Amino acid sequence: MAVVVEPSSSDLQIHRLPQPKYIDALRWLPHLSALDTHIALALHDSHSAASSIEIHALKTPPNPPSLDLQSSWTCPSRVSSLRVSQTPQKPLIAASTFDGSLHFLATHPVNLSIQSDTSIEEKGFHVGPIWGVDLLGSGGECVTVGEDGRVNLVTVGESRLSYRRVFDSEGLVSYTAAKWASPAEFATGGLGFSLQWWDHRKPGGAVSQFKGGWGRGGSSGIVHSIDIHPSRKHTCVAGGSSGTVFAWDLRWPEQPVVLSGIGTGERENTSPSESEVWEVQYDCFVHSSNISNVSSSRILPVMMCSEDGILAVVEEGEEPAELLAEPCAINSFDINVQNPSTVICSLEWESVAIITRQ
Amino acid sequence: MPGLVSDSGDSLVPFSTEPLPPPLYRLRHAPRPPHSRIAISWARGNCLRVSFFTNPSPPGDQSGGKVVEVSVGSGELHDVQRRRIAYGSVSPFALLQSQKNSMAALAGMGVGSSTNVAEWWEHVMAFSDDISSLLGNPKRATRSIIEDEKVVLKGCQEWVCLKVRLAYSLVQGYGDSEKHPKNLTWVSSRERQIFYGVGLISSVRRGVSIPLGVSFESFNNVEVPTCLKAAWELIEIFYAEKQSQAWLPERLVDWLASYDCLLSTTEGTVHSKLVDLQKELATLQVIENDQKYWQGISSALAVGWLDIVVKLLRLHGSYQLDQLGNRETENGLVEAIAVLVSKMPRMRPKLADGTLGECFNTKPEFMKAWERWRGQITKLECSAFWVQCEHNQTREGLRKLLQIMLGNTNSIIDASFNWMELYVSHFLYIKPFTMGLEGMDSLAQKCMQLKPSSHSHELMRLMLGIIGENTEVVLAECSRSFGPWMVAHAIELLTIGSSGAETLLHEEQYNLGGISIEELYRLVYAQVLSSHALTWQASEIAPVYLMSCATQGTRLLEILLYKQPVQQNQILLKTLEICRLYELDSISSDIMKIAGMRQWKHGRKGSGVFWLQKAQDEVRLNRISQQLFDYVGRSISDNGFKQWEGLIELLGQEAKTVSGLDFLHKYRDFKKSLQQITDGKASDAARQAVESLILLMKNPSTPQKFWLPLLHDSVSSL
């Protein structure tokens, strides 16, 4: 097992809030005032086999943290991916499902109650599960990718949704993650640690491909999540099987920078995890102040969560810093953009964990 | 139950033949009758699926019937709580198993065993504490002062507040006397009476209620104690708490104080009587005239809830300021009893906050103090003051309390409501010097004869099994009343310190198919876990228990792993992770093959190839490559090539090791070069195209049907 830097307990406050349902995904909602924080949970009730999206108000210190249900919306199928637009004036929640449908929930900016919902549920949209969905910052456009190998672009109008097919691999390739880089470009991830770079102005396929040039055959894996930093649009960071977190710089497309992972062969990396990395996000908490000083080729710190119960921050050339080590899987997490010191994550054992860093 | 053999007395586990009332489950969304047929079958977990078939309906009528699921929930715990317990007990269990294994390894090397035994006790105790805290913490409420719903008028409230303040200042002046009644001597109680009379007591009566152990926690929205917790604690007391053997009776007193409310049968309990009394306190004008008041005090005293006894005694009317003058003797007697009760010697290391008595650690000291205390009681009983006490009920009530403290069997029987309570009273007042399990069983039998009950409570049955030192009965009771979770975990406590139980539980039993009883119960629990998606689904709970089963665990785990769904990527990956953790490589590769074929058949070719490649399944890859070539032959046109790009990348360079798929790679290169030629680019491309073509033609894996298209492509580029 790799060496990890243990955080001193005084630096972290961890609260676990058991929920009565399984948490498929969770996100912070952007908030207008510093006093109220809200989160969106995609839940699955194993007993009734019903799925829902719930908005909870999060009570934070000095009160003991607790979640208060504000509003709830019943989802026709289990949620596979959840995104929230970062627009406090008009928060929009996008949820994709295992049945290939996509749902948008418009929320009230102040009390964050669910005001309206629109959906695409038609057969031709996606066949089978949608694995990745991402909203463009303002929430006007949304990209969806799925197991069926389709890449769709959804335009969110006032009352209706429209979509167009960017690409259809007809099942020859499956995509598992998607992330916008700019209003015209986005990246996707897939099987065999592959990454694709798309420009929806250029039809006919991906403009660039990362071939996942390591871990062939038996040790190959799947990309589960990707992230792109707004100030580093040329770099895409991805997390996937075997504890792998790597960065792909479009300027040097043949040479990925491996931040974590076993079985990389070339050099010994310290890896906080050995199993599936379910989610990666740039951690804006650590270097929020001096980001401009860091060389543009250096990969910024990345937070990851894994099937073996690790929530950690990995950084190029540094020992990984572990935030949480749970006896069960950590299936997703989200860093509060407006207050990066707080992180929420969903645990396999039907709990939400709230971590506050000092 | 018809056909059930009656209990002839020699059965291993005593069971009653009286029929239990059948449980009723209400269907919430059932369609209206008439139904032509109803079918019932098991669904997932504890769900029953009930299908209603309607009569053959006229054509056009769409309603053909309806299927509803009903959860056959069992017992006091909700499924969510049950899952939480299951989640929470994994880590303590796994930790204990690894400690057990490492100690076994040490013992195997011949490293000192005496220290090991002590260490093992500590580990088991830590395990028990973890489990116990998981089941909730319904300890005695030390300060459950709640607002009475019948508070007197507002004006009075102010008066009360004033008095309380006054009283508190007096308390301060008295060196915190309220907290330590033993600091006050018998002589100075006159002053105490005045201070109590000033208002603290009346305020207690009017605005604040008395704490009644755990009872009011439920009113305060604190966790209600569960039988599961009570049972666990009972097992812990008798098996795991090595130190407590010396003060076992006092541990039982504490246990009853926490869980008496659960023992309610038709006969009622001390707890339920006190709850009734509490409700009436606010309305009663002169409480000492009421028989219930005195009965409540007697009962509380009988089971050793001394703090409640003292609190109730001080509600006595003679403490009131306006009464003090003419009820001096009466009040003196009440206070005398209160002080005696609060000074009762107890054989235990320490008392919880708010409970009364004087602790003694060693038996000689305790015996000395006990004799002295008894002497004081006898002296008071013979006192001449009783004659002067004019209030009949007070005199009788107080004398009854004295009788209980003197160990009068009849008074104790009167004051208790079931045999458990009587049993505890015996330890408190009749057999105070009992240590360990000696004589406990026969005493229990005696108490059961004195307080016969029509219905035997599960906790009482468990108790009988424990004090009867019959491990099999304990296991059977645990299994029957508290379910597989309880047995699988309680076994860890049962085996400690008893070589007999250890042999019994760890011995491989021929009639169990060569596994031990311990393993059997773990397998049963693991199966229960596996029946629910959440406690199985890679929460890695069931595998932890299965892997602790030496003989059949791995095999059962393998079977269960094969049965996991492969449709959803996430669940598939979680299943594979379990295989990785337990090094079940062949299972893992089989599951990948299953997943790969499924994806392939559902048209997700890339995904199918990916999984088959991961499983290194050459045979299937070869077979599907033929289908792929057919598909390629049809669909690769110059502009449709982008679609193939990803799949070919996925196949990678290594594809040559697996079947003829490397052909695709070369074909792609060839096509690419051709495209560049047609785009009018460099002669390099042409050379590359020629190289690719030669490679393709040389390659034995190039399918024959591609020879013609290749030729066609080459000719056209010339």
Side-chain angles (χ1 to χ4, degrees), chain A residues 18-20 22 46-47 147 168 170-172 204 206 211 216 218 220 224 274-275 307 331 348-350, chain B residues 71 83-84 87 91 532 534 537 539 569 573-574 577 580 604-607 614 631 642-643 649 654:
Chain A
Q19 303 296 308
Y22 189 83
S46 61
H47 185 67
E147 198 169 77
D168 187 355
E170 293 177 2
L172 291 171
K211 295 163 186 175
R216 285 274 164 230
S220 178
H224 296 303
E274 295 178 357
S275 57
E307 175 65 24
N331 289 325
E348 178 81 15
W349 290 348
E350 297 172 82
Chain B
S71 168
R83 286 208 300 276
R84 196 140 297 142
Y87 295 147
S91 300
H532 194 286
L534 282 185
Q537 184 192 300
S539 312
N569 239 357
L573 289 167
K574 281 172 187 284
E577 172 71 6
R580 190 183 70 87
R604 293 182 284 272
K605 299 189 172 54
S607 201
K614 267 189 86 85
Y631 193 71
K642 280 271 183 189
Q643 283 180 339
E649 286 307 334
E654 217 179 275

Side-chain angles (χ1 to χ4, degrees), chain B residues 163-378:
Chain B
K163 299 262 167 153
V164 171
R165 268 205 300 280
L166 185 58
Y168 275 133
S169 60
L170 268 165
V171 172
Q172 296 298 322
Y174 256 86
D176 219 2
S177 52
E178 168 69 358
K179 282 186 193 156
H180 304 285
K182 63 182 174 191
N183 294 347
L184 296 161
T185 58
W186 173 228
V187 189
S188 70
S189 65
R190 285 290 313 139
E191 289 156 316
R192 279 168 50 79
Q193 286 168 13
I194 294 166
F195 134 58
Y196 277 114
V198 164
L200 183 63
I201 297 307
S202 43
S203 71
V204 166
R205 258 203 79 192
R206 287 198 172 82
V208 190
S209 69
I210 48 170
L212 277 187
V214 75
S215 58
F216 296 119
E217 288 196 293
S218 48
F219 296 156
N220 284 344
N221 291 327
V222 183
E223 264 175 288
V224 184
T226 60
C227 284
L228 196 62
K229 165 94 174 165
W232 185 268
E233 210 166 283
L234 205 54
I235 292 172
E236 185 182 87
I237 290 169
F238 281 96
Y239 295 97
E241 284 182 8
K242 198 186 182 186
Q243 318 86 331
S244 77
Q245 296 300 324
W247 44 86
L248 198 57
E250 282 284 338
R251 286 291 283 124
L252 282 179
V253 173
D254 289 352
W255 181 86
L256 190 73
S258 299
Y259 303 108
D260 190 47
C261 53
L262 298 170
L263 296 173
S264 61
T265 51
T266 42
E267 287 84 17
T269 58
V270 172
H271 176 268
S272 65
K273 300 289 169 188
L274 285 175
V275 170
D276 293 346
L277 176 64
Q278 154 94 18
K279 284 179 197 149
E280 285 177 34
L281 276 182
T283 52
L284 287 177
Q285 282 307 310
V286 188
I287 54 169
E288 59 270 24
N289 288 348
D290 195 310
Q291 206 54 40
K292 279 186 188 152
Y293 169 71
W294 292 108
Q295 275 171 358
I297 297 178
S298 302
S299 296
L301 182 65
V303 289
W305 302 350
L306 307 184
D307 46 335
I308 293 171
V309 175
V310 171
K311 281 257 157 67
L312 281 170
L313 279 176
R314 286 186 177 146
L315 297 179
H316 194 274
S318 64
Y319 281 107
Q320 287 189 9
L321 200 51
D322 53 342
Q323 310 253 327
L324 262 180
N326 44 19
R327 298 174 76 176
E328 202 173 341
T329 316
E330 191 187 337
N331 185 247
L333 284 167
V334 176
E335 181 59 24
I337 302 272
V339 171
L340 271 175
V341 166
S342 63
K343 291 177 77 171
M344 179 178 168
R346 309 183 74 163
M347 176 72 190
R348 57 189 296 156
K350 63 179 192 300
L351 281 166
D353 290 341
T355 47
L356 300 175
E358 287 187 0
C359 297
F360 293 93
N361 250 326
T362 59
K363 201 169 175 182
E365 277 179 45
F366 171 67
M367 286 168 88
K368 228 162 86 188
W370 180 264
E371 295 308 329
R372 200 169 53 236
W373 184 67
R374 270 285 166 87
Q376 286 171 337
I377 296 171
T378 322

Side-chain angles (χ1 to χ4, degrees), chain A residues 38-69:
Chain A
H38 290 80
I39 61 174
L41 296 175
L43 299 166
H44 180 72
D45 184 346
S46 61
H47 185 67
S48 61
S51 297
S52 59
I53 292 172
E54 293 183 354
I55 293 178
H56 289 255
L58 175 64
K59 297 263 183 301
T60 43
N63 306 319
S66 65
L67 292 176
D68 262 355
L69 177 65

